[in-house]
Amino acid sequence: MAAPAVPASLTRPKVDLYSDTVTRPTAGMRKAIAEAEVGNEQAHEDPTVNRLQDMVAELLGKEAAVFLPSGTMCNEIAYRVWCDHGDEIILDETGHALHFEAGGPAALAGTMTRTVRGVRGIFTGSDVDAAIRPKNRHAPRQKLISIENTANLGGGAIWPLETVKDVAAAARRHGLKLHMDGARLLNGVVASGISANAFAADCDSVWIDLSKGLGCPVGGVLAGSADFIEEAWRFKHQFGGAMRQAGIVAAAGVYALEHHVEQLADDHTRARRFAEGIAAVKGVRVAANEIDTNMVYFQVDDTGIDAPAFSKRLMAKHGVRIGALGGRLRAVTHLDVDDADIETAIAAVRAVAAG
Ligand SMILES: Cc1ncc(COP(=O)(O)O)c(C=O)c1O
């Protein structure tokens, strides 16, 4: 029987700049997974999970950490620990948790969200001051500030350390906790030279994703005080995220922290090269001087083709996958993209823009 035709959307791209989540484990990582020592993580008997948690707690300068199946669960569990139903979280209007976590803050933590308008996803202590409500029985209780470093919809922008400190000071002024979504914190660390410890120092909770630039198949690690992590474990069970021999996947995280951090700098160089290459294409608008890390957002309206159609043509005609997001296109560099792929992608953008 003939194999069913594979829809174009399911054929593998030649160059995949859709996201840094598309990476497949390297040979070294697969070996580490195969050889992992495992046990029951729920009883803290999985040596590989324990090791990963210790490594991340140390990296972020916190007392403890917990391995979770996803970055989304890291955010949602932190929100659940810090907030009660009816409480409010202050975050940027571009925040991942606001747009891409299926309403999790409301559904799982029962929270309201109050947005502030930052610049490229980055806001200040005075933005927080302006968002503070009067403390009376009519207003929702404000409990938490959530910041995203690097800021995804902000174009992979890195928070200046003094701005983190400024927001942390505002949090203390108003009796709020500070949470950092560090899905791509290590991109910010490698690009800025500021340590993860320094970025995390003023945060009450902070996490890193393993399944993005670090190239793991699964997982995130959430860190904070020992008391915070104890509570986080309770919700890990409640949310269905408690696992058993999770060392099989945690081994990838240990391997990635040992082998895949420094190469993030190559991803950043390639993102800059891509931005410079497409900046020269007629009809393409990109802020090539604002590429902090591994993301390049660009606009193509002036080519006469809208973003979704442009994205479709890139894939259908050139096998280059770049997603359309809110009227823009977003290209993300990662472990499975090399210099030649970037040149292929630039040529594809040029060809599609030429019509
Ligand atoms: C900034 C940010 N936070 C959180 C997440 C969620 O992470 P995960 O996909 O591991 O659930 C993402 C994923 O793209 C993200 O970009």
Side-chain angles (χ1 to χ4, degrees):
M1 203 169 74
V6 180
S9 60
L10 294 184
T11 52
R12 225 190 161 93
K14 261 194 280 183
V15 179
D16 199 346
L17 297 174
Y18 181 77
S19 171
D20 46 9
T21 56
V22 301
T23 55
R24 283 153 296 162
T26 58
M29 185 177 280
R30 284 175 191 271
K31 185 163 183 286
I33 290 170
E35 291 172 359
E37 270 187 72
V38 298
N40 178 5
E41 71 143 36
Q42 296 184 16
H44 305 289
E45 285 168 0
D46 187 307
T48 312
V49 171
N50 293 346
R51 171 135 189 259
L52 175 65
Q53 292 173 162
D54 289 348
M55 285 171 85
V56 175
E58 194 187 334
L59 179 76
L60 299 173
K62 300 296 175 201
E63 284 175 353
V66 58
F67 179 45
L68 293 169
S70 71
T72 298
M73 204 183 277
C74 291
N75 274 339
E76 298 303 331
I77 286 184
Y79 295 165
R80 184 69 189 87
V81 172
W82 294 129
C83 300
D84 290 322
H85 285 194
D87 290 346
E88 190 167 73
I89 302 171
I90 296 172
L91 78 176
D92 189 80
E93 64 181 7
T94 63
H96 190 276
L98 196 65
H99 299 288
F100 304 120
E101 296 182 13
L108 303 170
T111 57
M112 312 261 299
T113 43
R114 184 154 170 109
T115 57
V116 297
R117 178 163 295 176
V119 177
R120 300 180 69 210
I122 298 168
F123 56 89
T124 63
S126 47
D127 293 326
V128 172
D129 290 340
I132 294 300
R133 296 179 186 272
K135 286 191 175 42
N136 62 41
R137 70 163 76 129
H138 302 281
R141 283 197 182 123
Q142 296 182 302
K143 287 278 183 66
L144 182 68
I145 302 171
S146 185
I147 63 178
E148 196 176 298
N149 192 14
T150 64
N152 182 340
L153 287 178
I158 306 170
W159 278 66
L161 185 56
E162 60 273 19
T163 311
V164 177
K165 292 198 170 296
D166 183 39
V167 167
R172 285 191 293 272
R173 260 197 311 282
H174 300 293
L176 307 175
K177 299 290 183 191
L178 180 61
H179 170 76
M180 181 183 281
D181 169 340
R184 298 183 181 80
L185 178 61
L186 295 182
N187 291 84
V189 165
V190 167
S192 67
I194 297 166
S195 71
N197 228 283
F199 273 128
D202 295 284
C203 300
D204 300 288
S205 51
V206 49
W207 62 272
I208 58 165
D209 215 316
L210 302 171
S211 70
K212 297 199 162 68
L214 293 181
C216 300
V218 198
V221 188
L222 173 66
S225 69
D227 287 348
F228 169 82
I229 293 300
E230 190 54 35
E231 268 307 278
W233 261 103
R234 176 177 160 69
F235 291 115
K236 172 169 157 136
H237 280 268
Q238 194 178 87
F239 287 19
M243 298 175 272
R244 300 290 181 194
Q245 289 73 32
I248 283 290
V249 269
V254 171
Y255 182 88
L257 288 172
E258 287 172 344
H259 297 93
H260 289 175
V261 177
E262 279 164 25
Q263 62 76 33
L264 293 171
D266 299 335
D267 297 348
H268 304 158
T269 304
R270 291 188 180 116
R272 276 196 302 277
R273 166 65 198 135
F274 178 73
E276 283 159 13
I278 62 167
V281 176
K282 193 161 173 274
V284 170
R285 274 185 292 147
V286 59
N289 58 345
E290 283 185 1
I291 309 303
D292 288 359
T293 53
N294 67 333
M295 294 190 165
V296 181
Y297 282 86
F298 59 103
Q299 280 161 302
V300 292
D301 319 357
D302 296 345
T303 63
I305 309 167
D306 68 16
F310 202 99
S311 166
K312 261 195 206 137
R313 286 192 209 178
L314 278 171
M315 181 61 194
K317 294 194 179 161
H318 303 276
V320 172
R321 189 156 74 134
I322 296 178
L325 201 66
R328 299 185 289 175
L329 285 151
R330 185 190 75 168
V332 188
T333 55
H334 52 76
L335 207 56
D336 287 0
V337 170
D338 63 17
D339 292 340
D341 292 334
I342 294 299
E343 299 310 316
T344 303
I346 294 169
V349 170
R350 194 180 304 118
V352 171

